[in-house]
Amino acid sequence: MLLIEQEGQNKMEKTQETLSVLRHSTSHVLAQAVQKLFPEAKLAIGPATDDGFYYDFDMTEGHTFTEEDFEKIEAEMKAIVKQNLTFEKVEVEDVDAKIAEFKAEGEIYKAELLEEHRNDNPTLYLTKDKDGNVLFNDLCAGPHVPNTSYIKGNAFKLLKVAGAYWRGNENNKMLQRIYATAYWNKEDLQAYLTMIEEAEKRDHRKLGKQLDLFSVREEIGGGLVLWHPNLAVVREEIENYWRTEHRKRGYVIVQTPQIAKSKLWEISGHMDHYKENMFFIQKNEDEDEQFVVKPMNCPFHILIYQANRHSYRSLPLRMAELGTVYRKEKSGALAGLTRVQGFTQDDAHIFCTPEQLVSEINEIIDFVSDTMKIFKMDFEVELSTRPESYVGELANWELAEAGLKEAMDKRGMKYDINEGDGAFYGPKIDFKVKDAIGRTWQCATIQLDFNLPERFNIKYQDRDGSMKTPVMLHRVVFGSMERFHGILIEHYAGAFPTWLAPTQVTIVPISTDKHLDYAEAIYKKMRNAGIRVQLDDRSESMNYKIRESLKEHKVPYVCVVGDKEMESNSVAIRKRGVGQVGTLSVDEFIDKIETEIKDKVTE
RNA sequence: GCCGGUAUAGCUCAACGGUAGAGCAACGGUUUUGUAAACCGUAGGUUGUAGGUUCGAUUCCUAUUACCGGCUCCA
């Protein structure tokens, strides 16, 4: 083996950019510690991630890591780091010999990786002590920090253990993955851990209970959501916005059945490509005619298209539906509102001519970005191209992908490309919404479909009188009501802006003896004005009521009324997160709230 | 589906091989409050479900359902 001379080997800048180098180096220390404590552990891979790193181990004896193991491993890692070991990169000169060596050690995963990279000038990283003894070596392209003094014993932490398939393939053996993170100093690590705690506080499942928003019940089944009144109100507002915007943008709104005979799904091809995700129902115990609970709305919309003859003059036809679909998910896949089995898509299908394609895509992109602006959500865009298993003509796929690219390029949009990640029926643009703490969730998507129009043989009559197949676009703006509301809850940390807040105003009379009549009068006035207002007439202290409304229930406004307010026909206003904001007459306050609601103000 | 974990009062959690306890919420009473938790009391549980081991299971074992952390998959 040949030692490689590296420039600046004994120095490295401690920056944000080199953090992943530190993390990857720490993963080698983790592997070294695990192998010392658990000699049977076989090494797989240990890369850096966005906010830390992991290492996959095959625990051949079937041992699973426990909390106590974590303590032991961390202690061992600290001991390793203290020895001030150096990391040295060496080239693998004799690949076959090294493969044989890995195999002899039982390191079958390393052997497999080396075999695969035999022509890529594979390198090893050696962890050496002062006397030049090699304490650990790992197949690795690097780079690494020069030595373990860069790794601070109080600036890394093992976080959790999880199963992960070797090479991410579910047919392979499941390995044990230790997730961890590392920073240049303990303050940064502490800041990260604090951020994680904050993230947990705004978890929509936690807030869902705390604010009485939704629930799932064992008796119903996993991923089937009960929307409680509080969240149903939010949804009502969102749906109102949705309908209004669709009308403005030239859509027609339709409604279609929840179930359909198998025949429909045979025509659409879902029976072939989507069967394992579909729920089936038998019409009768003795009848074998099968119905399918709809997993998608598209076939129904196509049938509506088919109900009439279409010409190039009537296209584009933009057909939208808040369509509830049911999709069977693998048992471990469900999560809160973001991954469910029954959900309502804000679905639309646009039938257009090839010439209209680019402008239609543009209009959808406008729609999505206008909508995200209202919620003050940032998003990233990804283009997913033809997967290995696809239906339709190759030429159409290429045409479709070019159309999507053209629309985005024309408007100078930044996007990543996910090669081979498209749906089986067409390429797509995905919009990944970033929540307040930087996690991304897929919501809006635009999918091109050259397949279904062919399968259903839908046509339009062109200018020259010939019958042609229209282009079909699938698109959602919110994605699904369930997921979007989950994201919305986390985005606002449960503190919905006034236009969405389940309760917008709480009225608190200072004394329920003296001020209740006045409180009731303004309560009715606000309710008649369409404001979601509640009157807190319980025999509790004013402080208690204020705290409960603003902090526990995250109501945007509390109006306190006492002698002074009664005299001047006013309310003393306290705003969530702000404090006292002064006194307004009742009419002024109603005006203010109404404006805030109408403008969908988000702070 | 896979690897690991969890399931106790409405919520958050405690305890234990000898049939469970706290805080908050709820309910009753006292208090009538001037801006982010007043006080006293009452009630509330087949310990997720079904089996098994045991003199005895909520505790140990098995299965199952749901949830949680991941992997795979996905709106």
Side-chain angles (χ1 to χ4, degrees), chain A residues 266-284:
Chain A
E266 277 156 18
I267 299 171
S268 70
H270 286 101
M271 210 58 121
D272 292 334
H273 288 91
Y274 211 71
K275 197 167 185 178
E276 60 192 31
N277 289 294
M278 301 196 303
F279 287 100
F280 291 88
I281 38 177
Q282 211 89 347
K283 192 176 181 184
N284 244 307

Side-chain angles (χ1 to χ4, degrees), chain A residues 319-349:
Chain A
M319 198 186 291
E321 175 179 16
L322 287 167
T324 304
V325 297
Y326 293 87
R327 298 179 186 175
K328 227 190 278 184
E329 295 290 351
K330 290 179 179 176
S331 56
L334 304 175
L337 290 176
T338 47
R339 194 71 189 275
V340 292
Q341 294 197 109
F343 54 99
T344 302
Q345 293 181 301
D346 65 315
D347 211 356
H349 296 93

Side-chain angles (χ1 to χ4, degrees), chain A residues 35 40-43 58 60 99-111:
Chain A
Q35 278 205 319
E40 78 278 11
K42 303 301 172 216
L43 307 181
D58 182 358
T60 44
I99 289 174
E101 190 186 319
F102 275 141
K103 282 187 176 161
E105 290 167 348
E107 296 288 359
I108 49 172
Y109 303 100
K110 292 294 171 192

Side-chain angles (χ1 to χ4, degrees), chain A residues 153-157 159 181-195:
Chain A
N154 57 11
F156 66 79
K157 187 169 174 57
L159 299 172
T181 194
Y183 285 86
W184 291 118
N185 55 61
K186 77 167 186 220
E187 289 74 26
D188 289 355
L189 173 66
Q190 196 48 52
Y192 172 75
L193 296 175
T194 306
M195 196 271 284

